[in-house]
Amino acid sequence: MIIGVPREIMHDEARVAASPEAVAKYVADGFTVLFEKGAGEGAFYHDEEYKKAGAELIDGPKEIYDRSDIIIKVKEPLFNEQLGAHEIDMMHKGQYIITFIHPASPVNHDMVRKMAAQGVIGLTLDGVPRISRAQNLDALTSMSTCAGYKGILMAANDLASFMPQMFTAVGKIDPMKVMVIGVGVAGLQALATAKRLGAVLYAADIRPAAAEQATSLGAKLVDTGVAPELAIAEGGYAKHLPEDVLVKERELLKSTIQDMDIVFCSALVPGKIAPVIITEEMVKGMKPGSVIVDISIDQGGNCEITPAGRREVKHGVVLEGIKNIPGMLPKSSTWMFSQNMYNLVKYLVKDGKMNLDMSDEICQKILVTRDGEIVHEGTREAMGMK
């Protein structure tokens, strides 16, 4: 089979789907790897390294899309301004694409429909279940680690004040207060990073076990008021909450959120739109100069007014809606992503052919489009298809 690795075209995206080390593994396994020239430069991996690893270097994306059986990418397919064509339009029926599609997010619905119409078989990395046998395939966990770390550094940079407590000749400056909403992999890493920077920590998660983990880092828990039977889905994930329960949760969290200097949002429900926890009215009540970093923006965002893909100041609050925070750590994130991607491809390809066993939970959860149809449950629900 032929694997194609095009250059990422999202603005400021420095990652690439395969490191030279991963390319060497693919080649050793019998794959042909087509690699777009210059695609690794942003992560400080150079063409000579890819050539040495056995990749065939290609001048532009069109030939890669034409010839490949499997396209591997980091971010969802986008419109290529340089070529005047959408990346999906360059693909063909029966071709596979493995990337972060985030298919349930409304901003990606038209792209997913286009993918189905084109006959492309879409496999989304954000669908990989967090089960023990899928740990080394789980790029979402790897990227969440990067996002938690870098997201807090971004927030610290946005602040107009010191993060830690400071004792100066003219008096004491109090430490900043940081709240993490959604204490998963990214949330825990955010808390750990904020702690290293000297902040006072707060945390909220509807899952008691997840919330409890935050206390090991010294965070004060904020009660969400959500009963465990409503909160926990299969596999320990957060469950999609009814609107009336969300309203009560917002009310309980409101006063704490409005007292914070930084709110880091990472509350997600697998395969579904992210729950809105911070309304515009709540933002209006926040302290001037405070910061919201909303890493759940790929699935719609936890803050009602987070600008998708941008940083903006609204109502005196800095809103970080950057969609590729892990891309700001391109070397580390590319290396981690490449290992996850290689492990997933190796898992799916048997005897030189893609083998999507629909009795397998991993295949069920990652499949988005097939045979011209949108089959991903969370996406169909978000689109009102069921």
Side-chain angles (χ1 to χ4, degrees):
M1 296 187 81
I2 300 174
I3 293 175
V5 188
R7 181 176 61 83
E8 296 296 322
I9 60 172
M10 178 177 276
H11 181 63
D12 285 341
E13 178 56 78
R15 291 172 293 175
V16 65
S19 65
E21 179 185 340
V23 167
K25 289 182 180 180
Y26 287 124
V27 172
D29 288 346
F31 291 97
T32 295
V33 179
L34 308 181
F35 188 87
E36 185 175 350
K37 289 180 181 176
E41 291 297 324
F44 303 97
Y45 291 122
H46 308 301
D47 287 348
E48 312 86 75
E49 297 175 77
Y50 287 102
K51 188 173 182 180
K52 188 176 178 182
E56 182 181 339
L57 298 180
I58 306 297
D59 282 324
K62 194 172 185 314
E63 183 181 347
I64 289 176
Y65 284 105
D66 283 344
R67 292 175 53 192
S68 300
D69 300 300
I70 304 171
I71 295 292
I72 60 173
K73 287 183 86 277
V74 177
K75 297 302 291 183
E76 68 269 22
L78 299 167
F79 186 81
N80 189 315
E81 300 282 354
Q82 214 171 9
L83 297 178
H86 200 285
E87 288 179 304
I88 293 296
D89 290 332
M90 291 187 269
M91 298 188 70
H92 52 264
K93 186 177 180 180
Q95 194 172 33
Y96 294 85
I97 183 167
I98 309 175
T99 185
F100 281 116
I101 298 172
H102 299 292
S105 179
V107 73
N108 290 328
H109 287 179
D110 285 344
M111 178 268 291
V112 172
R113 291 188 187 99
K114 184 189 285 281
M115 188 183 292
Q118 197 83 342
V120 172
I121 303 157
L123 305 171
T124 188
L125 296 171
D126 51 297
V128 173
R130 281 183 176 157
I131 54 178
S132 56
R133 64 190 178 91
Q135 284 182 345
N136 70 345
L137 320 176
D138 190 359
L140 185 59
T141 289
S142 294
M143 297 304 100
S144 293
T145 298
C146 297
Y149 169 78
K150 191 66 173 182
I152 289 295
L153 296 186
M154 288 164 54
N157 194 53
D158 286 331
L159 286 175
S161 306
F162 290 113
M163 183 83 104
Q165 186 176 57
M166 300 289 285
F167 294 95
T168 77
V170 291
K172 183 187 76 166
I173 299 174
D174 290 330
M176 294 293 100
K177 297 176 182 177
V178 174
M179 181 178 188
V180 170
I181 300 174
V183 192
V185 174
L188 285 170
Q189 187 59 236
L191 284 170
T193 304
K195 183 178 182 178
R196 294 183 198 112
L197 293 173
V200 177
L201 307 181
Y202 295 77
D205 197 298
I206 62 174
R207 301 163 298 167
E212 191 62 32
Q213 286 183 299
T215 62
S216 66
L217 290 166
K220 179 181 177 181
L221 295 183
V222 185
D223 183 25
T224 63
V226 180
E229 59 269 21
L230 284 177
I232 306 166
E234 182 185 351
Y237 292 105
K239 191 184 284 186
H240 183 69
L241 299 176
E243 184 58 28
D244 62 318
V245 177
L246 266 175
V247 168
K248 291 176 184 173
E249 181 186 5
R250 289 181 197 123
E251 201 53 44
L252 280 171
L253 297 179
K254 180 179 177 180
S255 62
T256 305
I257 287 170
Q258 293 184 333
D259 188 42
M260 293 296 108
D261 299 290
I262 294 172
V263 180
F264 182 92
C265 299
S266 58
L268 292 171
V269 178
K272 300 187 186 297
I273 298 170
V276 173
I277 296 168
I278 304 175
T279 64
E280 182 167 9
E281 283 304 309
M282 291 164 74
V283 174
K284 287 179 181 177
M286 291 179 71
K287 294 187 284 190
S290 55
V291 182
I292 294 174
V293 177
D294 194 347
I295 71 161
S296 64
I297 192 63
D298 274 321
Q299 287 174 230
N302 292 145
C303 175
E304 185 178 31
I305 59 170
T306 303
R310 303 187 310 282
R311 173 193 182 277
E312 287 185 13
V313 179
K314 296 182 180 181
H315 309 302
V317 177
V318 179
L319 296 165
E320 290 278 8
I322 303 301
K323 296 182 74 174
N324 60 338
I325 293 175
M328 297 177 177
L329 289 169
K331 189 83 170 184
S332 293
S333 58
T334 287
W335 184 83
M336 294 171 77
F337 183 94
S338 298
Q339 303 308 311
N340 294 135
M341 181 68 85
Y342 169 76
N343 292 332
L344 181 58
V345 170
K346 192 174 178 68
Y347 182 84
L348 295 173
V349 175
K350 311 292 183 191
D351 300 320
K353 293 181 181 177
M354 183 69 81
N355 178 39
L356 291 179
D357 176 5
M358 296 317 294
S359 66
D360 177 14
E361 182 183 0
I362 295 171
C363 294
Q364 288 173 17
K365 295 289 175 66
I366 65 175
L367 185 63
V368 178
T369 56
R370 190 183 200 181
D371 299 326
E373 299 290 333
I374 298 168
V375 299
H376 187 265
E377 184 181 347
T379 306
R380 292 178 63 85
E381 182 181 315
M383 289 181 174
M385 296 174 70
K386 46 189 318 198

